[in-house]
Amino acid sequence: MNLLFFALTLILLHGSSRAREEASGHDHDVVKIGAIFTLKTINGQVSKIAIQAAEKDVNADPRIMGGRKLSINIHDSNFSGFLGFIGALKFLMTDTVAIIGPQASVMAHVLSHLAKELHVPLLSFTALDPTLTPLQYPYFVQTAPSDLFQMTAVADMISYFGWREVIAVFSDDDQSRNGITVLGDKLAERRCKLSYKAALPPDPTATPSFVTSQLLKIKSMESRIIVLHTFAKTGLLVLDVAQKLEMMGKGYVWIATTWLSTVLDSTSAPLPSDNSTSILGVLTLRPHTPQSIKKQAFISRWKHISNGSIGLNPYGLYAYDSVWIIAQALKLFFEQNRTVSFSNNTKLSSTREEALDLGALSVFDGGKQLLDNILRINMTGLTGPIHFGSDRSPPHPSYDIINVIATGFRSIGYWSNYSGLSVITPEKLQKKPANRSISSQHLKHVIWPGNTAEKPRGWIFPNNGRKLRIGVPNRVSYRDIVSQMNGTNAVQGYCIDIFLAAIKLLAYPVQYKFILFGDGKNNPNYYDLVNMITSDGFDAVVGDIAIVTDRTKIVDFTQPYIESGLVVVAPVKKLKSHAWAFLRPFTPVMWGVTAFFFLFVGAVVWILEHRSNDEFRGPPKEQIVTVLWFSFSTMFFAHRENTVSPLGRIVLIIWLFVVLIINSSYTASLTSILTVQQLSSPITGIDSLISSSERIGFQVGSFAANYLTEQLNIPKNRLVPLGSPEEYAVALERGTVAAVVDERPYVELFLSNRCKFSIRGQEFTKSGWGFAFPRDSPFAIDMSTAILTLSENGELQRIHEKWLSEKACHYHSSEDEQLQLNSFRGLFVICGITCFVALLIYFLSMLHQFGKKSLQKAGPSDRYSLPSARIQTFLHFVDEKEEVSPKKLKRKLESISSNRLRSISKTKSKTQRVQVDIS
């Protein structure tokens, strides 16, 4: 604002009266529009030609302005904000209804305040600062997509190629600085980040020496992804210096914003002659404008209207359309019977400062209406459909993605705010439903710096002579996991071998050194070890580091290379055989259900056979004995009673199958129990340990202590720290602790050849061991890929067998050997359903037979009998012996006689054999 008052003082002291004279003598048939550009820039030159062409085309059509003429006066700001401000004041003192520009966002912020006060719309297609919002600057309109969309496109490209850290090089002005801020936000949404920002002096004041100093800093950093957001002169200087510093070779990625495509489009040669080699492999963006007959006709005219001085770029198309936007808005303005008039600003007129004649600045009375008309524009221009949304952004902004190659440049795809990255033009995709899924994102292959088609990794180890510092726990127990070798600084063990095998699979060399952490007398605290990464003490930590929640908040872990989890180990004793050992195979519930089904099936068979089978008839006491005998004799398939009814036979077949399975399972389980060593303990798992008041041991430095106290709410006074397997054994044998809670790999090593102890219950946490790296470290991703490769080729298993495969005691838990009801549930359900269906069919059959018999014997008195009497009659009918039909009786007699004849013949043949033997 100091610039504002200084300029006002300088101009108004010397020219306010002259300005008023010019304003009073304006021509009502001429509508004045101002334009502010730096004409020595590419965009300034292209915009001047396009604006003049648009002015000529508008004035050539009398239907647009109703006989009036547009008069566009172009002011050259010459890279100076001060001169740009003076030009704007001149326009505002001469009854200008709108201003195209300014070219730079820094001036747009200042002039927007004047435009708001004097109601003069500002339309700019190059001041694309995302912070120029309509809420703060209502009279400022961006007629091209703001840098918000451009930076979203850059972030999508970086995420598409899988890079995580980015360096930004930008000009230190409002537009570039705010654009990079937006880029940082968009990268964060995609789990990427800006690792460094290099600010350069505003265009065109950057010097080679300053640029060199900044690029040397960048060269010593990890990231090789560089986003260059400047203007043409500074951008080409940066790329030229980068070429000299060998930063345009293999491994680097340069992404330039739209300034580079502007240079490429507007330069007459295929590539700038001085920079033809320094930009090879660079990716850049170009505002996408759909093909149309109108656009093609203007391109054909361009060489004539520009006299071949400069090529056309998309911002020339936006300049042409900006003039037409104002023209169409003015047409609507005049059709609304509005006139161009100006009045004094009451705020400025009341100013008493004699040195400032602010009355020369007048308010455009129709400015608000003209602005509304601009925002309601719905037309098709050279850049495609033109209308403004609620946020004043163009419809579905999109960009061409260009790859600079030796023969010029080529498009590798498009980015659209509607569909993301694609190789199909945005206007075709807009006819389909929006789809921004990862699978739908596509680009063509890229020729990267160094003339290679292989995608750069995007980062390297800093070339500063320092090796990667890898922290290793200096363990005093479980030394097979990781340990110091013979008092030297060398380390060995299971974890070290996995790290060395994984690092050999990387596609690049890694210089590293192991640094022991711990005093060598006690196991180190692993939380302190991991925290050394955040305090820059270590670049990584290799060892038996459990991947738990608290640690993942401060570091990144690789893919787990071994499964882990907390288990309970407790002393066990051998179970001695006793008189009731035969009951162990089944649980009490299983015994009860089995006994119930024996009785139930016997009762069902008795019901089904009672009417037709003489063996199931007789006095009640005799029948109860028959049912019990039949039920339990089926256990040994020794039942004597025959079944004659089809339903009874079906039920018996199903039940005998169930009995067969139960007998086989019982025999196998009892054999195992009586022949294999059985171990037992009062502690059956973590639940029984929590409910008790026994003391619990844990390994010093492990996360088990925090988990037991914070997650399971076990009091700290119940926890006993233990340092080695020997301490485990002594504490468990003496009863100092009832159980030890530790990670499974340690416990498995502890149990090797220690048959007095065993794991009780299941793992109650699930995790794994991994190598720790700083947050967002790309090295962690590469190491994870290497660990997966080791797992697939079997190397992980070979290393495990080398260090951790020990002979362990084989035991069986008596609780685990018992057969549960759940194992036989299906069999019992099938048997139960069969019995139920058989009873249902039998009951319906009895009802049918009873009904037929009742009709045959029904008398007058039977029709009015009580229900209880009918039920009693039905029960009596069911209990009666089934009447045998003559045919059935005949078949039965024939069967009996044939059986007797066979018996007699067998007796005779036996007698004859005896006589022969005697003779």
Side-chain angles (χ1 to χ4, degrees):
M1 296 306 294
N2 291 334
L3 177 63
L4 171 63
F5 287 113
F6 175 76
L8 282 171
T9 302
L10 180 64
I11 296 171
L12 297 178
L13 280 174
H14 298 284
S16 59
S17 59
R18 180 181 174 185
R20 282 197 301 270
E21 293 173 0
E22 293 178 355
S24 61
H26 68 274
D27 188 350
H28 289 283
D29 293 332
V30 176
V31 181
K32 296 179 180 180
I33 297 175
I36 305 173
F37 293 97
T38 297
L39 299 181
K40 292 182 180 180
T41 62
I42 291 176
N43 281 338
Q45 297 174 43
V46 171
S47 299
K48 178 181 178 181
I49 298 171
I51 288 173
Q52 290 174 342
E55 177 188 12
K56 182 178 180 181
D57 292 344
V58 169
N59 289 332
D61 189 349
R63 297 172 299 176
I64 303 299
M65 301 294 293
R68 302 173 182 84
K69 298 292 183 181
L70 278 183
S71 175
I72 302 179
N73 186 15
I74 299 177
H75 175 78
D76 184 7
S77 60
N78 196 24
F79 295 104
S80 171
F82 177 72
L83 294 179
F85 192 81
I86 289 178
L89 286 176
K90 286 184 177 180
F91 293 144
L92 295 173
M93 292 177 184
T94 55
D95 295 349
T96 299
V97 299
I99 296 176
I100 300 176
Q103 186 171 343
S105 294
V106 63
M107 285 308 303
H109 282 278
V110 176
L111 296 182
S112 294
H113 290 287
L114 275 177
K116 177 181 178 181
E117 194 66 34
L118 302 179
H119 296 182
V120 176
L122 289 177
L123 284 75
S124 179
F125 48 87
T126 53
L128 304 177
D129 185 348
T131 64
L132 288 165
T133 61
L135 293 177
Q136 185 177 7
Y137 307 108
Y139 278 82
F140 181 81
V141 180
Q142 291 173 333
T143 58
S146 80
D147 282 346
L148 169 67
F149 303 103
Q150 181 176 198
M151 294 308 167
T152 305
V154 172
D156 277 348
M157 289 167 57
I158 292 169
S159 177
Y160 172 81
F161 288 112
W163 299 314
R164 287 293 174 262
E165 292 192 9
V166 181
I167 293 174
V169 180
F170 61 97
S171 295
D172 195 13
D173 57 28
D174 286 357
Q175 179 162 329
S176 299
R177 190 187 312 109
N178 292 331
I180 292 301
T181 300
V182 171
L183 175 61
D185 295 339
K186 296 299 179 182
L187 288 173
E189 293 174 3
R190 293 155 179 79
R191 297 195 66 186
C192 307
K193 70 174 184 177
L194 281 175
S195 58
Y196 183 73
K197 299 178 183 179
L200 304 178
D203 201 56
T205 59
T207 61
S209 60
F210 189 88
V211 171
T212 301
S213 65
Q214 290 294 318
L215 292 186
L216 286 174
K217 292 180 184 178
I218 293 172
K219 190 175 182 180
S220 65
M221 298 177 182
E222 271 190 9
S223 178
R224 287 293 181 263
I225 314 300
I226 304 172
V227 175
L228 185 56
H229 186 45
T230 61
F231 296 96
K233 184 175 181 180
T234 301
L236 293 176
L237 174 61
V238 170
L239 294 175
D240 187 47
V241 173
Q243 172 75 10
K244 296 175 182 177
L245 295 177
E246 298 181 349
M247 295 177 66
M248 296 300 299
K250 187 176 181 181
Y252 281 90
V253 175
W254 288 83
I255 301 176
T257 49
T258 54
W259 67 265
L260 181 56
S261 64
T262 300
V263 172
L264 298 174
D265 289 333
S266 298
T267 305
S268 56
L271 289 175
S273 57
D274 296 336
N275 306 91
S276 58
T277 58
S278 64
I279 63 175
L280 296 181
V282 177
L283 293 179
T284 185
L285 300 174
R286 174 202 288 144
H288 177 75
T289 55
Q291 296 295 330
S292 64
I293 297 175
K294 184 185 295 186
K295 173 184 170 182
Q296 194 58 42
F298 186 76
I299 293 174
S300 301
R301 293 172 54 196
W302 182 261
K303 188 173 183 180
H304 172 70
I305 61 179
S306 65
N307 295 321
S309 59
I310 193 169
L312 176 64
N313 64 52
Y315 292 106
L317 304 178
Y318 282 109
Y320 184 90
D321 283 349
S322 296
V323 176
W324 274 94
I325 290 173
I326 297 175
Q328 293 290 348
L330 285 170
K331 177 184 179 183
L332 183 59
F333 180 83
F334 292 126
E335 289 174 353
Q336 295 166 341
N337 297 322
R338 302 300 296 267
T339 59
V340 176
S341 62
F342 295 83
S343 60
N344 293 331
N345 188 304
T346 56
K347 294 181 182 179
L348 297 178
S349 300
S350 62
T351 303
R352 298 299 182 183
E353 297 290 342
E354 296 180 359
L356 299 177
D357 185 6
L358 299 179
L361 295 175
S362 54
V363 177
F364 177 25
D365 297 329
K368 181 64 170 62
Q369 186 62 49
L370 181 61
L371 175 65
D372 293 340
N373 292 346
I374 290 173
L375 297 179
R376 287 200 297 265
I377 286 293
N378 191 353
M379 56 179 274
T380 300
L382 301 183
T383 57
I386 300 173
H387 60 268
F388 299 97
S390 57
D391 58 350
R392 298 192 185 179
S393 62
H396 302 308
S398 53
Y399 294 88
D400 299 336
I401 303 176
I402 297 171
N403 182 205
V404 183
I405 56 177
T407 57
F409 54 87
R410 66 188 183 93
S411 174
I412 62 168
Y414 309 91
W415 178 89
S416 171
N417 191 49
Y418 181 77
S419 57
L421 302 171
S422 70
V423 293
I424 304 173
T425 57
E427 49 268 24
K428 290 183 179 179
L429 290 177
Q430 289 168 12
K431 298 177 182 177
K432 305 176 181 179
N435 183 6
R436 294 183 65 93
S437 64
I438 295 176
S439 60
S440 67
Q441 306 297 294
H442 296 290
L443 289 176
K444 298 177 182 177
H445 72 276
V446 180
I447 303 299
W448 303 100
N451 197 30
T452 177
E454 181 183 357
K455 187 194 77 172
R457 190 171 71 249
W459 67 278
I460 64 167
F461 288 103
N463 186 20
N464 52 17
R466 182 171 65 83
K467 295 181 179 180
L468 201 66
R469 301 163 300 169
I470 299 178
V472 177
N474 189 8
R475 295 194 60 89
V476 296
S477 63
Y478 298 113
R479 295 175 61 82
D480 289 340
I481 301 290
V482 58
S483 62
Q484 185 180 9
M485 293 176 60
N486 303 323
T488 66
N489 288 328
V491 290
Q492 65 177 0
Y494 170 69
C495 300
I496 301 301
D497 278 7
I498 290 178
F499 176 78
L500 296 177
I503 212 166
K504 290 179 182 178
L505 297 178
L506 300 181
Y508 47 89
V510 179
Q511 298 295 323
Y512 60 88
K513 61 179 179 180
F514 293 119
I515 302 175
L516 290 167
F517 180 82
D519 57 10
K521 299 178 181 179
N522 299 289
N523 290 332
N525 187 296
Y526 279 43
Y527 282 98
D528 294 341
L529 176 58
V530 172
N531 279 324
M532 288 291 289
I533 295 177
T534 61
S535 62
D536 198 33
F538 294 138
D539 299 312
V541 170
V542 170
D544 46 335
I545 314 297
I547 304 173
V548 294
T549 304
D550 290 344
R551 296 172 186 171
T552 58
K553 293 177 181 178
I554 58 176
V555 296
D556 279 352
F557 283 94
T558 61
Q559 171 79 15
Y561 56 84
I562 186 175
E563 291 185 359
S564 179
L566 294 179
V567 293
V568 176
V569 59
V572 293
K573 61 181 180 179
K574 184 178 179 181
L575 286 177
K576 295 181 179 179
S577 182
H578 54 81
W580 301 100
F582 68 91
L583 294 176
R584 286 187 195 169
F586 289 163
T587 62
V589 175
M590 180 63 185
W591 278 117
V593 172
T594 303
F596 168 78
F597 264 85
F598 271 107
L599 296 175
F600 175 67
V601 171
V604 170
V605 172
W606 180 84
I607 292 173
L608 298 176
E609 296 288 326
H610 180 65
R611 296 191 75 238
S612 58
N613 194 336
D614 292 337
E615 295 181 357
F616 289 89
R617 298 188 62 80
K621 292 183 179 180
E622 183 178 336
Q623 290 305 298
I624 292 174
V625 173
T626 300
V627 170
L628 293 176
W629 167 255
F630 178 83
S631 298
F632 291 104
S633 63
T634 56
M635 180 186 301
F636 310 101
F637 307 98
H639 51 285
R640 297 175 303 174
E641 293 78 9
N642 293 321
T643 52
V644 298
S645 67
L647 292 176
R649 290 175 177 176
I650 291 173
V651 170
L652 184 60
I653 289 173
I654 297 298
W655 173 241
L656 291 178
F657 175 74
V658 174
V659 170
L660 175 64
I661 300 299
I662 292 175
N663 277 343
S664 302
S665 303
Y666 176 84
T667 303
S669 180
L670 183 62
T671 302
S672 174
I673 289 173
L674 296 179
T675 57
V676 179
Q677 175 178 269
Q678 299 294 309
L679 302 177
S680 70
S681 169
I683 297 173
T684 58
I686 188 63
D687 293 332
S688 63
L689 191 60
I690 293 173
S691 61
S692 70
S693 59
E694 302 286 348
R695 305 189 77 187
I696 304 170
F698 68 94
Q699 185 182 171
V700 175
S702 170
F703 75 94
N706 286 344
Y707 185 86
L708 292 173
T709 56
E710 296 177 6
Q711 301 298 325
L712 303 183
N713 298 319
I714 294 177
K716 290 186 178 180
N717 57 14
R718 289 182 58 190
L719 303 184
V720 178
L722 303 171
S724 66
E726 291 73 21
E727 291 185 32
Y728 284 11
V730 172
L732 290 169
E733 288 175 351
R734 293 181 177 178
T736 306
V737 296
V740 172
V741 174
D742 206 347
E743 296 179 67
R744 178 175 284 276
Y746 301 129
V747 171
E748 290 176 348
L749 284 175
F750 166 72
L751 293 178
S752 298
N753 298 316
R754 287 189 173 93
C755 299
K756 297 180 180 180
F757 314 102
S758 73
I759 297 174
R760 310 303 295 165
Q762 304 295 323
E763 274 184 344
F764 56 92
T765 67
K766 290 290 185 181
S767 62
W769 289 353
F771 303 139
F773 293 90
R775 294 298 299 269
D776 301 321
S777 171
F779 191 42
I781 300 173
D782 291 352
M783 285 295 288
S784 293
T785 304
I787 290 172
L788 289 174
T789 303
L790 292 176
S791 176
E792 293 168 358
N793 63 22
E795 185 64 22
L796 271 186
Q797 183 61 30
R798 286 189 288 271
I799 297 174
H800 185 278
E801 292 172 356
K802 173 184 175 182
W803 290 99
L804 304 183
S805 293
E806 299 286 345
K807 184 178 180 181
C809 296
H810 298 284
Y811 68 91
H812 291 266
S813 171
S814 60
E815 293 88 352
D816 294 338
E817 289 294 329
Q818 284 190 311
L819 297 174
Q820 305 290 327
L821 175 62
N822 192 52
S823 303
F824 302 92
R825 182 179 297 173
L827 287 173
F828 287 129
V829 169
I830 292 174
C831 183
I833 292 175
T834 303
C835 292
F836 175 77
V837 172
L839 288 174
L840 180 64
I841 295 173
Y842 178 77
F843 178 72
L844 295 175
S845 175
M846 290 298 99
L847 287 176
H848 178 69
Q849 294 179 23
F850 177 72
K852 290 176 61 177
K853 187 174 181 180
S854 298
L855 290 174
Q856 293 174 358
K857 297 182 178 182
S861 60
D862 293 336
R863 298 177 184 178
Y864 304 101
S865 60
L866 295 174
S868 59
R870 290 183 61 81
I871 293 173
Q872 187 176 1
T873 305
F874 175 73
L875 294 177
H876 179 72
F877 170 76
V878 171
D879 187 56
E880 288 179 350
K881 181 73 170 67
E882 183 180 13
E883 296 180 0
V884 182
S885 63
K887 291 183 179 180
K888 288 184 178 181
L889 181 60
K890 182 179 180 179
R891 285 198 299 269
K892 187 174 182 180
L893 292 175
E894 289 176 352
S895 176
I896 294 172
S897 62
S898 63
N899 289 336
R900 288 180 176 178
L901 288 175
R902 282 196 298 270
S903 176
I904 294 171
S905 63
K906 288 181 181 179
T907 304
K908 288 182 178 180
S909 62
K910 186 181 293 185
T911 303
Q912 291 174 357
R913 284 197 301 270
V914 170
Q915 291 176 352
V916 170
D917 292 339
I918 294 173
S919 65

